[in-house]
Amino acid sequence: MLILGIDTSCDDTSASVVEDGAKIISNIISNQAEIHKKYGGIVPELASRRHIEMIWPVVNEALEVACVKLEDLSGIAVCHGPGLIGSLLVGCSFAKAICYSKQTPLVAVNHLEGHIFSSFLEELKPSFPFIALIVSGGHTCLYRVDGFGKYKELGRTRDDAAGEAYDKVSKLLGLGYPGGPVIDKLSQDGNPKAIDFPRAYMPESYDFSFSGLKTAVLNFVKHNELHLKGKDLSRITHHTLLNDIAASFQASVVDVLVRKTEWAMKKERIKRVVISGGVAANIELRNRMKKMGAEKEVEIFIPSVPLCTDNAAMIAAAGYHHLESGNFAGLDLNPKAHMPL
Ligand code: KG4
Ligand code: ZN
């Protein structure tokens, strides 16, 4: 079964051809970071305009690389939420137009479901049940997954998502957008114990909170009169301190993510964890999770970095199961900015 996946939920235009929900034939991603960089975050209107320009070239390239014609497709899987509504509309309208003209079956995929199924695109696939930790720019949540369509939410962020905290801290340090990769890199030469930033554990809860941490970093910067904002990284003289701030902030985020995942595993008596979303690209998080897995005999599944960040292959992977179970979407499909899994 060949499925074309489409994801335009945020600031990446992506299209992918996947065979039987497991084998990537092509996976094209057009990134918009350059456009949003100077604003320190995503500008929704600019994102949707760029999606309109890129959707057809990206889909075309995905088909060309896969040597597949629209007529060869068993179905089209499109992400219909959650995400930026203007961005989602582009992918959904495009998918509906092709399905209408070619009489191709259409399925709608929740973006979070896509992240969960990204791990099924790797050679070593998880079996059910497992605990899923989704950590991205828009989401930080823990689920118990018992099978396709069987998701139980255990916890979610009460304020900022982990990736959002990375992006906001990066902005206040004058390091630009997106913040995750640059903070990840700076942390490698920093001392994670240099500054004791807070960790919001909230006992008895599987929820997360990162806004206090962000404020703590802001207060630290203000208190120490580090006027880093707006400066070019290469001109910053407080290099070591910047590395230490990055490493200490990152240690706080990673400690909480690892500890809460452990709590969830314990509560559900499951020794299998799947991690996905942009923050799952983080080197420290990957290492700490693998270490925890080895120490506690837990199976850890973290997809390769390009499959952790937003991509359409994961939408096609989840879409395969919708198609198999006959869960088709109509041409009246409407995207939604907020959508529970
Ligand atoms: O999943 P994703 O591509 O888009 C959303 O659905 O949000 O995640 C993007 C987020 C951004 O906040 C970005 O800063 C973060 O993932 N990110 C990272 C890393 N790479 C990307 N965070 C920490 N470490 C990284 N290496
Ligand atoms: Zn995402």
Side-chain angles (χ1 to χ4, degrees):
M1 226 193 250
L2 285 174
I3 297 175
L4 172 71
I6 295 176
D7 187 283
T8 60
S9 58
C10 197
D11 62 338
D12 290 320
T13 317
S14 181
S16 166
V17 177
V18 172
E19 193 178 335
D20 296 335
K23 189 172 169 217
I24 299 175
I25 314 289
S26 66
N27 190 22
I28 310 298
I29 301 162
S30 164
N31 185 270
Q32 302 183 358
E34 259 329 294
I35 295 173
H36 305 287
K37 216 175 192 165
K38 58 177 174 284
Y39 304 102
I42 299 164
V43 183
E45 181 60 24
L46 295 182
S48 20
R49 284 172 194 224
R50 187 67 180 155
H51 282 308
I52 292 172
E53 286 167 5
M54 293 312 295
I55 186 77
W56 184 227
V58 166
V59 167
N60 224 3
E61 196 179 336
L63 295 171
E64 268 177 27
V65 170
C67 297
V68 161
K69 290 197 221 58
L70 285 173
E71 290 74 16
D72 304 329
L73 297 171
S74 310
I76 295 181
V78 69
C79 169
H80 66 134
L84 299 171
I85 193 66
S87 294
L88 289 163
L89 264 169
V90 178
C92 284
S93 310
F94 189 87
K96 287 196 288 186
I98 300 181
C99 290
Y100 176 67
S101 65
K102 299 284 176 190
Q103 296 295 302
T104 315
L106 176 68
V107 292
V109 174
N110 182 305
H111 187 77
L112 301 173
E113 187 175 45
H115 274 304
I116 290 175
F117 277 83
S118 61
S119 50
F120 289 85
L121 293 162
E122 296 292 356
E123 203 130 311
L124 204 62
K125 299 176 200 319
S127 45
F128 299 107
F130 56 78
I131 299 293
L133 171 70
I134 303 175
V135 262
S136 71
H139 306 274
T140 300
C141 24
L142 275 166
Y143 292 96
R144 178 194 165 108
V145 180
D146 282 288
F148 170 70
K150 294 178 184 161
Y151 318 116
K152 179 180 146 199
E153 187 182 293
L154 305 172
R156 58 163 56 234
T157 183
R158 293 184 186 176
D159 39 59
D160 292 349
E164 195 178 352
Y166 267 95
D167 295 336
K168 286 179 176 171
V169 165
S170 175
K171 192 175 179 182
L172 76 89
L173 292 175
L175 301 175
Y177 173 85
V182 61
I183 291 182
D184 195 359
K185 193 157 180 283
L186 284 170
S187 299
Q188 286 166 35
D189 298 315
N191 174 7
K193 292 193 176 129
I195 308 150
D196 189 20
F197 286 132
R199 286 142 174 83
Y201 283 119
M202 298 176 290
E204 311 292 321
S205 166
Y206 302 90
D207 284 349
F208 300 90
S209 167
F210 294 105
S211 72
L213 170 61
K214 171 195 67 192
T215 310
V217 178
L218 179 65
N219 288 341
F220 180 87
V221 169
K222 274 190 185 160
H223 186 74
N224 290 279
E225 295 183 350
L226 304 173
H227 300 296
L228 303 173
K229 201 172 174 185
K231 285 193 184 166
D232 180 347
L233 176 60
S234 59
R235 283 164 43 214
I236 291 169
T237 50
H238 316 276
H239 249 117
T240 324
L241 184 56
L242 194 66
N243 294 109
D244 285 351
I245 298 172
S248 301
F249 159 77
Q250 178 157 290
S252 184
V253 174
V254 171
D255 278 356
V256 174
L257 293 175
V258 174
R259 178 88 63 95
K260 293 254 166 173
T261 305
E262 283 187 80
W263 289 0
M265 277 165 24
K266 213 167 164 190
K267 176 179 179 256
E268 299 296 324
R269 295 166 191 268
I270 293 175
K271 296 197 100 182
R272 199 173 296 117
V273 176
V274 167
I275 307 158
S276 184
V279 183
N282 187 270
I283 295 168
E284 179 67 10
L285 179 64
R286 296 173 85 91
N287 289 342
R288 286 279 303 280
M289 284 289 188
K290 283 177 196 159
K291 188 164 168 263
M292 183 267 282
E295 282 170 7
K296 309 224 156 143
E297 292 180 5
V298 173
E299 284 183 88
I300 306 283
F301 296 86
I302 317 177
S304 57
V305 171
L307 292 177
C308 285
T309 45
D310 286 351
N311 66 87
M314 68 185 198
I315 302 300
Y320 167 77
H321 296 278
H322 284 281
L323 208 58
E324 261 214 329
S325 37
N327 185 21
F328 302 111
L331 291 175
D332 56 353
L333 174 73
N334 269 324
K336 284 201 186 96
H338 301 283
M339 183 185 286
L341 184 57

